[in-house]
């Protein structure tokens, strides 16, 4: 995580931009003023005053699960002849770079850093894009380029390649089960409450036949890892039965192999032992243990963190941990057994749409920005009155057109391997005759303004009514009313404000009175910073101009 900037850091100081480029196995260091930084070993690292101030833009897309790439354009002068280096086969496109910043005091050209090398504020890590060199009117070391964040891609699947049923590991496995993938199981999928308030069960995760003899099934693998559940309910095509959960290592070995969870169904009962397909309801406890706390892994924030640990994409785990607690009020349950699915892709499809966050790229990896519509103005990072210090430099713009409005939402859940068993409808009209229908003031106000504009979603990982209802209400709240933006220019001293921060702004010309806004974009200018802020039309919280 980058070192945070605080308002006190920027008093009587100014920023100096730093750029480190690794090219042809050499590290080149540039800065907008000549300086040296001391590293942890006490070494002085000189940065050469041979770069222009970067044209940097950091932006945030609202509730965006696919992070946008940040970039910065700049020019530098290398201490080598770039054309000659290229002639040796050293392609600048293969170079990587890091853009950072430190705060300094002292007169221009004679800066005194306030930070060490390790304390620099890292902004952007990426590759050189569309470099230019050998400009006739420039020095031989001149190069212009854009430093752009890399589009990270997982290089391993969510389920390990070794998690497969083979006859080597399971000598008595059903032949049609060979090649099946051991599932990850999280939460307690299969248990839900019907519209009358009664607890119901259904098959939700697959069970694979790992032992069959004489045409009768003896053992079913239910997870490719140890689980918390002591019992589960197994479903065949017509009925179900509860069984104790046991654990075993592949091929019976105790010194190596993957430990899995299974059930022995040889106990006489209602269930058939001659079918080819079985499903599991986790009514006797959850699947995976929570690596971030106690109990089963079922809280949305914790499940998101866990899924990201399965991949190879760089992740800023400190920021995810900070946000997890804000998401953990929602509970999920499901399984992963697609042999080709990548961890972040699974999160994008199943988990991130349920969370009020956007995902961004940073120098330390992917990180979340949380949107809290109930965060009070008192917790804004700054209270601003438009004027000389904060000058609005453009018009207010409506960001949501009528066709973009969502003020009625149908969310289907409790799906399992069958059709959905539950549905919640969030709308603006009160209907006491339907227990699955709920109304909100946000939906009502929006429908009065724009008419009814509906949408339908489904989730394979939602089983709990309270979580489904809360998520559906949040989605309507975020999508039902207007979102408007405004650009402001301010001084260098406000550079500690980050994308995603909440501010409170009073702007008489805009008829804004203590309006809560979120910073969606920031970029440096010649004299300071420019911010694009966005305001949600929120009648429950907004102060109105009289």
């Amino acid at each position: 995580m980058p070192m945070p900037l605080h308002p006190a850091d920027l008093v009587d100081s100014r920023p100096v931009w730093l750029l480190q480029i690794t090219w042809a196995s050499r590290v080149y260091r540039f800065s907008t003023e000549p300086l040296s930084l001391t590293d942890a070993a006490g070494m002085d690292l000189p940065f050469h005053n041979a770069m222009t101030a970067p044209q940097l833009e950091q932006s945030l897309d609202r509730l965006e699960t696919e992070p946008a790439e940040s970039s910065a354009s700049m020019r530098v002068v290398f201490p080598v002849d770039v054309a000659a280096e290229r002639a040796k086969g050293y392609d600048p496109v293969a170079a990587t770079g890091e853009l950072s910043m430190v705060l300094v005091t002292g007169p221009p050209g004679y800066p005194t850093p306030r930070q060490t090398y390790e304390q620099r504020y890292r902004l952007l890590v990426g590759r050189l894009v569309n470099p230019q060199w050998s400009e006739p009117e420039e020095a031989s070391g001149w190069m212009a380029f854009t430093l752009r964040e890399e589009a990270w891609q997982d290089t391993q699947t969510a389920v390990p390649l070794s998690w497969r049923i083979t006859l080597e590991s399971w000598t008595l496995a059903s032949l049609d089960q060979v090649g099946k993938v051991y599932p990850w199981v999280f939460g307690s999928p299969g248990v839900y409450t019907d519209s009358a308030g009664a607890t119901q069960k259904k098959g939700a995760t697959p069970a694979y036949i790992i032992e069959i003899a004489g045409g009768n099934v003896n053992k079913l693998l239910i997870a490719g890892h140890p689980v918390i559940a002591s019992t589960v309910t197994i479903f065949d095509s017509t009925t179900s039965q509860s069984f104790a959960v046991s654990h075993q290592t592949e091929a019976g070995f105790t010194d190596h192999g993957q430990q899995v969870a299974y059930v022995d169904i040889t106990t006489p009962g209602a269930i058939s032992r001659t079918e080819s397909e079985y499903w599991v309801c986790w009514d006797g406890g959850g699947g995976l243990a929570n690596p971030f706390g106690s109990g089963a892994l079922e809280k949305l924030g914790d499940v998101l963190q866990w899924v990201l640990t399965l991949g190879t994409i760089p992740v800023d785990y400190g920021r995810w941990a900070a946000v997890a607690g804000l998401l953990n009020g929602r509970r999920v349950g499901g399984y992963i057994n697609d042999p080709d699915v990548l961890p972040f892709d699974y999160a994008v499809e199943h988990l991130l749409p349920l969370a009020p966050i956007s995902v961004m790229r940073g120098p330390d990896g992917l990180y979340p920005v949380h949107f809290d519509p109930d965060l009070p103005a008192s917790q804004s990072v700054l209270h601003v009155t438009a004027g000389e210090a904060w000058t609005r430099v453009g018009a207010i713009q409506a960001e949501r057109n009528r066709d973009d409005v969502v003020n009625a939402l149908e969310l289907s859940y409790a799906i399992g391997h069958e059709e959905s068993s539950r549905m919640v409808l969030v709308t603006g009209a009160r209907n006491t005759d339907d227990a699955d229908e709920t109304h909100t003031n946000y939906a009502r106000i929006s429908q009065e303004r724009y008419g009814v504009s509906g949408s339908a979603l489904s989730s394979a990982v939602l089983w709990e009514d309270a979580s489904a209802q809360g998520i559906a209400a949040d989605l309507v709240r975020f999508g039902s009313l207007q979102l408007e933006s405004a650009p402001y220019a301010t001084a260098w001293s406000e550079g500690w404000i980050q994308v995603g921060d909440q501010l409170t702004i009073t702007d008489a010309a805009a008829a804004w009175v203590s309006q809560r806004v979120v910073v969606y974009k920031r970029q440096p200018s010649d004299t300071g910073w420019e911010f694009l802020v966005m305001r949600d039309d929120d009648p429950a919280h907004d102060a109105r101009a009289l």
Side-chain angles (χ1 to χ4, degrees):
M1 178 184 305
M3 190 195 76
L5 284 173
H6 301 285
D9 297 332
L10 290 142
V11 175
D12 298 325
S13 66
R14 65 183 184 279
V16 169
W17 301 98
L18 308 176
L19 177 67
Q20 296 181 96
I21 293 179
T22 302
W23 179 35
S25 302
R26 292 182 60 186
V27 177
Y28 299 91
R29 297 186 177 91
F30 307 95
S31 59
T32 50
E33 294 187 38
L35 55 74
S36 291
L37 295 179
T38 303
D39 67 11
M43 298 287 292
D44 285 335
L45 302 177
F47 286 76
H48 302 287
N49 181 22
M51 67 175 286
T52 60
Q55 297 177 353
L56 170 69
E57 179 180 291
Q58 295 174 304
S59 61
L60 169 69
D61 292 327
R62 183 180 176 85
L63 302 182
E64 179 56 61
T65 59
E66 293 285 1
E69 297 177 2
S70 294
S71 62
S73 298
M74 65 201 81
R75 298 184 300 276
V76 302
V77 179
F78 283 88
V80 295
D81 185 323
V82 175
E85 293 296 297
R86 179 66 187 95
K88 297 175 185 177
Y90 301 136
D91 189 351
V93 171
T96 59
E98 178 202 88
L99 179 67
S100 61
M101 182 179 72
V102 293
L103 301 173
V104 302
T105 58
Y110 299 92
T112 300
R114 284 187 166 184
Q115 295 150 293
T116 66
Y117 175 75
E118 284 75 19
Q119 292 171 332
R120 70 197 185 283
Y121 187 74
R122 301 170 67 226
L123 296 166
L124 176 61
V125 174
R127 293 191 176 275
L128 275 59
V129 176
N130 298 130
Q132 301 175 359
W133 63 93
S134 196
E135 168 63 40
E137 297 184 0
E138 299 288 351
S140 62
W142 177 90
M143 184 188 292
F145 56 87
T146 296
L147 181 66
R148 181 177 297 165
E149 287 177 322
E150 294 187 60
W152 294 316
Q153 182 69 35
D154 272 320
T155 58
Q156 66 184 32
T157 55
V159 183
L161 294 177
S162 61
W163 283 25
R164 303 291 190 275
I165 294 178
T166 67
L167 292 178
E168 290 76 19
S169 295
W170 307 101
T171 57
L172 298 178
S174 173
L175 292 179
D176 63 1
Q177 306 283 282
V178 172
K180 296 291 187 181
V181 178
Y182 304 170
W184 287 109
V185 179
F186 57 90
S188 300
V191 183
Y192 65 97
T193 304
D194 64 20
S195 57
T199 299
Q200 301 291 344
K201 305 174 186 179
K202 68 189 301 186
T205 71
Y208 298 131
I209 302 169
I210 55 173
E211 183 177 309
I212 186 170
N216 288 320
V217 175
N218 293 336
K219 290 183 179 180
L220 298 172
L221 184 147
I222 61 173
H225 51 82
V227 301
I228 287 181
S230 58
T231 63
V232 294
T233 295
I234 300 296
F235 284 75
D236 61 17
S237 60
T238 60
T239 189
S240 63
Q241 184 178 345
S242 180
F243 295 95
V245 175
S246 301
H247 292 92
Q248 178 179 331
T249 302
E250 292 174 318
F253 296 112
T254 58
D255 58 341
H256 67 276
Q258 177 67 25
Q259 190 179 43
V260 303
Y262 74 95
V263 294
D264 185 321
I265 66 170
T266 57
T267 304
I271 199 170
S272 169
R273 294 176 57 200
T274 60
E275 298 199 10
S276 60
E277 183 176 300
Y278 298 88
W279 292 83
V280 188
C281 172
W282 295 78
D283 57 332
L288 275 166
N290 188 353
F292 310 104
S294 60
L297 179 65
E298 62 180 357
K299 298 176 182 178
L300 178 57
D302 291 341
V303 174
L304 267 169
Q305 287 190 88
W306 166 74
V307 168
L308 294 176
T309 67
L310 302 179
T312 58
I313 291 177
V315 175
D316 190 335
Y317 289 109
R319 291 192 179 190
W320 283 99
V323 167
L326 304 174
L327 306 177
N328 278 344
R330 312 297 192 205
R331 298 180 185 275
V332 294
Y335 70 99
I336 308 175
N337 76 330
D338 183 338
D340 300 317
V341 72
L342 302 174
F344 185 67
D345 290 348
Y346 182 87
V348 167
E349 181 177 357
H350 294 289
L351 301 173
L352 288 170
L354 310 180
I357 62 175
S358 287
V359 180
M360 295 188 66
R361 290 187 178 94
D364 294 315
L366 296 180
Y367 68 92
V369 174
H370 182 253
F371 293 88
D372 183 356
D374 291 317
L375 189 68
S378 61
Q379 293 188 33
S380 295
V381 301
L382 185 67
H383 298 267
V384 173
T385 298
E388 292 185 4
W390 277 75
T391 304
R392 184 152 53 85
V393 292
I396 296 174
Q397 176 173 312
E399 297 288 340
R400 177 171 289 143
N401 295 316
R402 189 165 184 159
D403 292 343
D404 302 323
V405 168
V406 175
N407 53 34
L409 178 67
E410 181 181 285
L411 175 60
S412 301
Y413 59 103
I415 295 173
H417 76 291
E418 303 168 347
E419 63 183 16
S420 169
S421 296
R422 298 288 286 128
M423 182 272 290
V424 59
L425 174 64
V426 177
T427 184
R430 185 187 297 271
N431 182 4
T432 58
D433 296 329
D434 190 344
D436 294 331
E437 187 171 317
T438 184
H439 76 284
T440 70
N441 286 331
Y442 293 97
R444 176 183 60 80
I445 293 169
S446 176
Q447 291 178 8
E448 290 172 351
R449 291 182 185 179
Y450 311 114
V452 177
S453 180
S455 180
L457 299 173
S458 64
S459 173
V461 299
L462 281 175
W463 294 89
E464 182 186 70
D465 287 352
S467 294
Q469 292 166 2
I471 288 168
D474 283 347
L475 290 173
V476 168
R477 182 173 183 177
F478 280 115
S480 59
L481 297 174
Q482 187 54 266
L483 179 69
E484 55 196 32
S485 64
Y488 287 85
T490 186
W492 280 113
S493 58
E494 305 290 27
W496 57 274
I497 297 171
Q498 301 297 305
V499 169
D501 282 348
Q502 177 178 290
L503 313 177
T504 300
I505 293 185
T506 296
D507 186 337
W512 285 3
V513 178
S514 298
Q515 295 296 301
R516 299 172 309 141
V517 300
V518 173
V519 177
Y520 275 71
K521 183 185 297 184
R522 75 172 200 155
Q523 59 187 37
S525 67
D526 292 338
T527 58
W529 290 89
E530 293 183 0
F531 296 99
L532 182 73
V533 303
M534 291 200 191
R535 168 189 170 272
D536 275 281
D537 189 3
D538 193 336
H541 290 278
D542 288 345
R544 298 290 181 178
L546 300 178

